[in-house]
């Protein structure tokens, strides 16, 4: 079973110092009530019982460290950055570390990657539904399109 969830907020900053690796931070928040798998009953159970979106409206990733060599950061480039941070689901956080593929285009950057998590580590009730059993770990894949902030 696969599903999608819209990301509502992405923010970040970077700190560049001559002769040092690029380091930055990123904050991603997704609306827990926007989870969709194409099955209305399963989606309702996921939002209402498993994620408890009414009390925990956002799924949040806050990086602690982003490391990258930006010497090749130009349109047409593909590079991989290492990201570590905290993922918070239903009010409980867990540390994760993952590689993120970065594809640079003239007007935007695509970020993609995946990681595995255990739903039990977040204190989530069993998300199994009917004859569909959800086993651990659960694989999370993401793809984000980042554009520069427009100046007012």
């Amino acid at each position: 079973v696969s599903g999608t969830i819209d990301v509502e907020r992405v923010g970040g900053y970077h700190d560049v110092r001559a002769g040092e690796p690029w380091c930055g931070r990123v904050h991603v928040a997704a609306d827990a009530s926007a989870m969709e798998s194409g099955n209305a009953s399963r989606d309702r159970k996921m939002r209402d019982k498993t994620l408890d979106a009414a009390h925990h409206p956002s799924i949040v990733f806050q990086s602690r460290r982003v490391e990258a060599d930006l010497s090749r950061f130009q349109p047409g480039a593909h590079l991989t950055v290492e990201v570590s941070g905290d993922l918070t689901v239903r009010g409980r956080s867990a540390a994760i570390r993952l590689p993120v593929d970065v594809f640079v285009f003239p007007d935007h950057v695509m970020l993609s990657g995946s990681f595995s998590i255990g739903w039990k580590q977040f204190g989530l009730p069993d998300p199994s539904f009917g004859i569909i059993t959800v086993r651990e770990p659960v694989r999370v894949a993401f793809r984000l399109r980042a554009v520069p902030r427009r100046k007012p």
Side-chain angles (χ1 to χ4, degrees), residues 13-17 20-25 65-68 70:
Y13 68 88
H14 58 83
D15 181 10
V16 180
R17 294 186 185 118
E20 294 183 19
W22 181 85
C23 293
R25 300 281 191 270
R65 188 154 181 86
V66 178
E67 295 184 49
L70 294 183

Side-chain angles (χ1 to χ4, degrees), residues 59-64 83-98 115-124 136:
I59 297 169
V60 177
F61 175 76
Q62 178 65 53
S63 72
R64 282 184 268 113
V83 180
S84 60
D86 298 306
L87 179 66
T88 303
V89 180
R90 200 176 178 176
R92 200 179 274 182
S93 297
I96 62 172
R97 182 176 174 91
L98 65 149
F115 57 94
S116 295
I117 60 169
W119 48 269
K120 291 177 187 174
Q121 77 188 92
F122 292 99
L124 300 178
E136 291 196 291

